[in-house]
Amino acid sequence: MSQDQLFKLIYLNPSNVTRRLNRLIKLGYISKEKSAVDGRSKIIKLTKLGYQNYEKLKERLPQINNSIVSALDRDQLVIFKQLMAKMEARLDGLL
């Protein structure tokens, strides 16, 4: 995926995304190289290490989410659900 495609996909400020990408590159999870089609574009790819960790994360994500949510008390959980619903509605409007 190109870096520009990633910016558009996740709706975050490009400078914030670039900082996160640089961190993932430093950790060895992704690589960034010039596009063979358009030399101005950068292509983002998972490295072998990145793919291995992606598979682990994908398996553990439900457990991670449950752990995070279980740390909230009842009132916080209500607020969290309201916020998530609001963000989801906003996202639906953007897509």
Side-chain angles (χ1 to χ4, degrees), residues 36-37 41 67 81 83:
V37 177
S41 296
S67 177
K81 287 180 178 181
L83 290 170

Side-chain angles (χ1 to χ4, degrees), residues 11-12 15-16 18 24 26 28 35 40 43 45-46 49 51 55 59 62 64 67 70 74 82-83 90 92:
Y11 300 103
L12 291 175
S15 63
N16 290 339
T18 300
L24 292 171
K26 186 176 180 178
S35 168
R40 297 171 296 163
I43 302 298
K45 295 181 180 180
L46 281 176
L49 177 65
Y51 186 75
E55 291 298 326
E59 289 176 18
I64 292 168
S67 177
S70 70
R74 183 183 297 175
Q82 290 170 340
L83 290 170
R90 175 68 179 213
D92 287 344

